[in-house]
Amino acid sequence: MTDAISHPVPPRSVAVAAMLCSAACWGGATVMTKGALDAFDPFILLVIQLLASVAALWTAVLLSSTSLLAFRPMVRAGSTGVLEPGLAYAVGVPGLALTTAGNASVIAALEPVFIFLGAWLLFRTRPTLRAIVAIVTAVIGVTLVSLTYPAGLGGGSVLGDGLVLFGTALAAAYVLASSKLAVTMPAVLLTALQQTAGLGLVVILSAFALFAGWQALPASVTLPALGLAILSGLIQYALAFWLYIVGLKGIAPGLAGMFLTTTPIFGVFGGIVFLGERLVLSQLLGMTLVIVSLVALLRSRGG
C-alpha cells in the first residue's frame, strides 16, 4: 500500500467528455429507476443498486491492478461517500416521494449554485459575472424543461422540497470534497471507496426503515425487475460517479457543477426513446438555454 500521490490530469477534452457522459448516465438511468420502483420500495432499490455498483467497482480495481493506499488515507477518502451517495440519496429519496418531479428537477439544478458558493468560501474561488449569468440561465432552462413533467411545478410539500434541497446541498459538498481527492488517487479506487461507505450508511438506514415499517421487502421479485435494478445501479452509480471523478481531475468544481444541469436533457431524451414521450417547445427552449450557458462558460475558461 502507498500514500496518496498526484495522478496525471486528463486533457480538457477528455474531462469535458467524461462530465457529459456522467450526466447522460444519470439522466438515462432515471428512466430505468422509475421502472424499477414499480417492483421495489425506494430504500430497497437503492441497496440493490449500490450493491451492484460496489461489486463492479471493486472488480474493476482488482482487474486494473490499481495500487491501494495506506489504510487511513483510504478511510478518509471513502468517508466522503457518506455525503453522496449516502446522505444525499437518503434524504433525497423520501423528499422525492413528497414532492413533484418538476419541483425536484428545478431544486436539483441549484447544485451548481451551492458548488460555486462553496468554492468561493472554501477555496477563495470567486465566481465571475459570466459564471453567475450562466448559472441563472441554466436554472431557467431546467425550469422550462421541468414544466412538462406530469405534475409540473408546485404541488409539492414544504417538507419534500426541503429534503430535496438538503440532499442537493449534500451533493454539492460531495463535489467540493472529491475535487481535492480526485487528483491524489485513481478515479476507480476513489469511487469504489466512496460508494462502499455510502452503501454501508444506506444499509443501516434501510434496516431501520424496515424495522419501523416504512419500507417492506417485495413479496416476489421477477428476473426482469431485478435485472433492471442491477443495470440501473451500474449506470447511475458505478459508471456515472466514476466518469464524474475522471472529469473532476481536469475541471474545477464550479465548472464541473454546471454539467449537472444537462442531466434533465438526457433524462428527457431517455423518456422519448424508452417511454415514447414527446418533445415540446418549452423543453427545446430550456435545453437550448442550458447548452448555451454551458458552452459560454467553457469558452470563457479557455474551452
Side-chain angles (χ1 to χ4, degrees), residues 247-267:
L248 275 175
K249 288 179 174 289
I251 292 179
L255 179 56
M258 280 294 294
F259 284 90
L260 298 173
T261 60
T262 66
T263 300
I265 295 178
F266 292 108

Side-chain angles (χ1 to χ4, degrees), residues 156-226:
S157 70
V158 175
L159 176 59
D161 290 344
L163 288 173
V164 174
L165 183 64
F166 184 39
T168 301
L170 289 168
Y174 163 82
V175 172
L176 292 169
S178 297
S179 66
K180 296 300 182 182
L181 292 169
V183 297
T184 66
M185 57 197 308
V188 66
L189 177 59
L190 176 57
T191 310
L193 291 168
Q194 290 175 330
Q195 296 204 16
T196 300
L199 172 61
L201 176 63
V202 169
V203 166
I204 294 172
L205 294 175
S206 298
F208 180 78
L210 286 170
F211 179 78
W214 298 339
Q215 303 273 279
L217 294 172
S220 62
V221 178
T222 64
L223 190 58
L226 181 59

Side-chain angles (χ1 to χ4, degrees), residues 127-138:
T128 63
L129 178 60
R130 185 188 290 262
I132 295 173
V133 171
I135 292 173
V136 172
T137 303

Side-chain angles (χ1 to χ4, degrees), residues 40-299:
F40 302 97
D41 280 345
F43 275 134
I44 304 304
L45 174 60
L46 185 53
V47 170
I48 295 173
Q49 290 174 320
L50 284 175
L51 278 171
S53 175
V54 168
L57 287 167
W58 282 112
T59 299
V61 169
L62 293 174
L63 292 178
S64 62
S65 299
T66 300
S67 298
L68 300 180
L69 307 179
F71 179 73
R72 288 186 178 180
M74 286 201 299
V75 171
R76 286 196 297 268
S79 65
T80 56
V82 172
L83 294 172
E84 190 180 25
L87 288 173
Y89 283 86
V91 301
V93 169
L96 284 172
L98 297 173
T99 190
T100 64
N103 284 14
S105 181
V106 172
I107 293 171
L110 296 176
E111 185 171 344
V113 178
F114 289 130
I115 293 174
F116 269 106
L117 289 175
W120 188 2
L121 293 173
L122 297 175
F123 309 141
R124 304 302 180 187
T125 305
R126 184 174 181 177
T128 63
L129 178 60
R130 185 188 290 262
I132 295 173
V133 171
I135 292 173
V136 172
T137 303
V139 171
I140 292 173
V142 172
T143 302
L144 289 173
V145 172
S146 303
L147 285 172
T148 58
Y149 279 105
L153 298 180
S157 70
V158 175
L159 176 59
D161 290 344
L163 288 173
V164 174
L165 183 64
F166 184 39
T168 301
L170 289 168
Y174 163 82
V175 172
L176 292 169
S178 297
S179 66
K180 296 300 182 182
L181 292 169
V183 297
T184 66
M185 57 197 308
V188 66
L189 177 59
L190 176 57
T191 310
L193 291 168
Q194 290 175 330
Q195 296 204 16
T196 300
L199 172 61
L201 176 63
V202 169
V203 166
I204 294 172
L205 294 175
S206 298
F208 180 78
L210 286 170
F211 179 78
W214 298 339
Q215 303 273 279
L217 294 172
S220 62
V221 178
T222 64
L223 190 58
L226 181 59
L228 183 62
I230 292 173
L231 180 61
S232 64
L234 294 175
I235 296 175
Q236 186 172 355
Y237 295 97
L239 187 57
F241 277 86
W242 171 70
L243 287 167
Y244 199 77
I245 293 297
V246 170
L248 275 175
K249 288 179 174 289
I251 292 179
L255 179 56
M258 280 294 294
F259 284 90
L260 298 173
T261 60
T262 66
T263 300
I265 295 178
F266 292 108
V268 167
F269 281 111
I272 293 172
V273 173
F274 297 107
L275 302 179
E277 297 177 352
R278 299 177 62 184
L279 183 66
V280 299
L281 183 60
S282 62
Q283 287 179 313
L284 187 60
L285 177 58
M287 293 176 183
T288 301
L289 290 176
V290 170
I291 294 171
V292 167
S293 63
L294 180 57
V295 171
L297 197 54
L298 280 170
R299 293 186 63 182

